[in-house]
Every structure is written in structure tokens, then in C-alpha cells.
Amino acid sequence: MITSLVVAATEDDIIGAGGALPWHIPGDLRRFRALTTGHVVVMGRVTHESILARLGHPLPGRTSVVVTRGPRAALGGGVKAAESLERALADAAGQASQAGCDEFFVIGGATVYAEVLPWVDRVYLTRIYHRFDGDRRMPAGWLDDFELVSREDAAEPTTGIRYSFLDWQRA
């Protein structure tokens, strides 16, 4: 089973501000949707709450596993809860296998990303070449054990924000 991490980060590894993304890049959102639809996604409670705040419901077309110690009822229908990251990863792998998938995705937030790195096989990174203020970032050296296997450069037509889709594999 392949454990993959999906993240968008600036060059100084900012990934969030106030519990949400500090940018709106439709190209990145399309890639996220294309990668994760039909798969199991693992996330922390704050990331889940930010999705609910933005969409009004859990991510469609995906099975969500949320790492939380809080009340399960607040998660919403169709969302699985796990009391630890290890339990969430085991549940995600089992659900992905039952669905005939060989990969599941970890989608945030900062604490979950930092804790899951030892188990990650692939990283799907959207590197954003624009300065954004934020209060959440990836840990220093987080890509040290990975090698770049593909790159696609793009720019958002309305804002001109440049970004790259960078795919990494564990070295």
C-alpha cells in the first residue's frame, strides 16, 4: 500500500494561515481533486473543519479518515474517526485495499504532515512561487529523504501566481 502526501507550500514551506489555505489557486485545487477522488484521505481535525467551513460538507467522492480525540458526531456523515495517526493509517490502508486501491493520501494539516513523514512513500507537492504570510509550515528538511521524479510548471492566468507540480518518491 502506497502512502502519499499531498501538500501545497510556498518556497519557505508555508502551508496554512489561521486554519485555512492562504491562497486560492484553481489549478492546484483541480490537481488535488484529480489525485484524491475515489481514494481514501487522512487528515487532522482542523483540516477537516476547514473543509467543512469551505464546502459545507466532507470532500465528495472520497472516504475521509480524521485523526481526532474529540466527539465523533461533529465530523459529519461518512467520515471515519481515528484516535491516533497510526490507527488512521491502518484504517486508511484497509479501506483503500477493500476499494481496490493501492494508494491513499494524507492531506494535512501541519502536525499530521510532520508525524506521517517516516511512513510516506510519495509526495505530491504544489510549490508556490509567491510570498504569503502564514502560521503553519512544513518541518525543516522534510524532503531530504525523497528524490524528484517529475515536474510541471504553471501559472494562474488571473493572478499570474507561478507554481510547479513536483512529484517526489522516497529515495
Side-chain angles (χ1 to χ4, degrees):
M1 182 62 56
I2 299 165
T3 303
S4 295
L5 188 147
V6 181
V7 63
T10 62
E11 289 178 286
D12 56 352
D13 285 326
I14 294 290
I15 62 169
L21 294 174
W23 49 75
H24 178 74
I25 301 175
D28 174 53
L29 296 174
R30 282 189 297 274
R31 181 180 197 232
F32 176 83
R33 187 179 320 115
L35 285 169
T36 62
T37 297
H39 293 276
V40 178
V41 293
V42 174
M43 69 195 86
R45 180 190 50 81
V46 173
T47 297
H48 176 66
E49 289 172 355
S50 74
I51 290 167
L52 291 179
R54 183 174 181 152
L55 300 179
H57 52 78
L59 291 169
R62 284 149 277 207
T63 300
S64 296
V65 179
V66 178
V67 181
T68 182
R69 290 175 187 86
R72 293 341 183 223
L75 295 178
V79 175
K80 314 285 187 215
E83 292 186 359
S84 69
L85 179 60
E86 292 80 8
R87 182 77 251 155
L89 296 176
D91 289 352
Q95 290 177 36
S97 181
Q98 285 179 345
C101 297
D102 64 353
E103 181 177 29
F104 67 88
F105 298 88
V106 178
I107 63 168
T111 301
V112 171
Y113 284 146
E115 290 179 22
V116 79
L117 280 170
W119 294 289
V120 169
D121 302 299
R122 292 184 187 151
V123 174
Y124 297 97
L125 168 63
T126 301
R127 180 63 79 193
I128 300 168
Y129 306 110
H130 186 86
R131 178 146 171 72
F132 287 95
D133 291 327
D135 56 12
R136 297 288 183 261
R137 68 176 63 238
M138 293 301 285
W142 70 282
L143 287 171
D144 288 351
D145 295 331
F146 296 88
E147 61 184 1
L148 184 64
V149 294
S150 98
R151 176 188 183 120
E152 179 185 339
D153 297 320
E156 197 53 49
T158 56
T159 62
I161 294 173
R162 294 180 317 103
Y163 57 95
S164 297
F165 296 137
L166 306 172
D167 297 345
W168 299 80
Q169 273 191 224
R170 185 160 299 279

